[in-house]
Amino acid sequence: MKGFLWTLFVFGISTSSILSQTLVEPNQNFVWEGFSFVFPEPVVVKTESLMSQKLTVYPAKRDGFFMVVRTLPWLEPFDPKSTWKDSVFTRGIEPKEFQKTLGNLNFQIFQADQIRNQNALRNQVWIGLESNPGLWIWIQWKSDRKDLTEFFESNRFLSL
């Protein structure tokens, strides 16, 4: 039994030291890699450093959305043979593609609805066209959360 508890203790230390997490309150500016974000409710943000920088955002109190933000070493990952859209939009319903300008940044936005685990979800991927390093944002939220639909589709998460 002591060996088992020692293993759990060592495992707990090794996993907790890897994660960098911060609680961010609603409507508070959160700056990451020079980009500023605002969230609609209390969230936990986790930062990771891989080949590119990665920020993952989870709601702190209730389920409803998540966000992954990455910096990429290229400006336009629009290879027509690329399958990254398929990995984000698994069986996407009514996929759309459009551009938006916010402040001095232009974005290519891919959007699709999907059903996953009996949940109706909305997905958006925002790709910064001129930022260096490239900015890639994937947002997924439950479609029945109209407050989140209004928040994300009116671009309030990017405080530029």
Side-chain angles (χ1 to χ4, degrees), residues 25 34 36 53 73 83 105 119 124 158:
E25 294 298 326
S36 183
Q53 299 297 317
T83 60
L105 294 178
N119 289 307
Q124 286 188 341
L158 282 171

Side-chain angles (χ1 to χ4, degrees), residues 60-80:
K61 294 185 178 180
R62 63 181 187 167
D63 193 21
F65 79 97
F66 81 91
M67 179 186 298
V68 176
V69 184
R70 291 179 182 253
T71 57
L72 302 174
W74 64 85
L75 293 179
E76 281 189 63
F78 296 126
D79 179 3

Side-chain angles (χ1 to χ4, degrees), residues 3-140:
F4 177 72
L5 291 176
W6 176 250
T7 302
L8 285 177
F9 178 73
V10 170
F11 181 74
I13 288 176
S14 66
T15 59
S16 65
S17 64
I18 293 172
L19 301 178
S20 170
Q21 296 184 348
T22 305
L23 178 67
V24 178
E25 294 298 326
N27 303 315
Q28 174 185 346
N29 271 346
F30 179 78
V31 178
W32 176 80
E33 296 294 312
F35 299 101
S36 183
F37 299 94
V38 175
F39 306 107
E41 54 193 53
V43 297
V44 174
V45 295
K46 179 175 87 170
T47 59
E48 297 177 63
S49 180
L50 307 164
M51 288 187 66
S52 63
Q53 299 297 317
K54 178 181 172 187
L55 175 75
T56 307
V57 180
Y58 302 96
K61 294 185 178 180
R62 63 181 187 167
D63 193 21
F65 79 97
F66 81 91
M67 179 186 298
V68 176
V69 184
R70 291 179 182 253
T71 57
L72 302 174
W74 64 85
L75 293 179
E76 281 189 63
F78 296 126
D79 179 3
K81 297 175 187 163
S82 174
T83 60
W84 71 266
K85 284 190 261 184
D86 294 335
S87 68
V88 173
F89 301 126
T90 306
R91 294 184 302 277
I93 301 167
E94 299 181 28
K96 298 175 184 142
E97 184 177 335
F98 52 96
Q99 286 194 2
K100 244 182 208 185
T101 300
L102 296 173
N104 61 349
L105 294 178
N106 292 312
F107 292 92
Q108 186 73 29
I109 301 169
F110 299 90
Q111 177 176 296
D113 293 330
Q114 73 180 136
I115 305 296
R116 186 180 285 175
N117 299 329
Q118 300 180 346
N119 289 307
L121 304 172
R122 167 78 38 101
N123 288 279
Q124 286 188 341
V125 173
W126 291 58
I127 298 174
L129 298 177
E130 292 123 5
S131 58
N132 191 9
L135 181 63
W136 184 89
I137 305 168
W138 175 21
I139 311 165
Q140 184 177 74

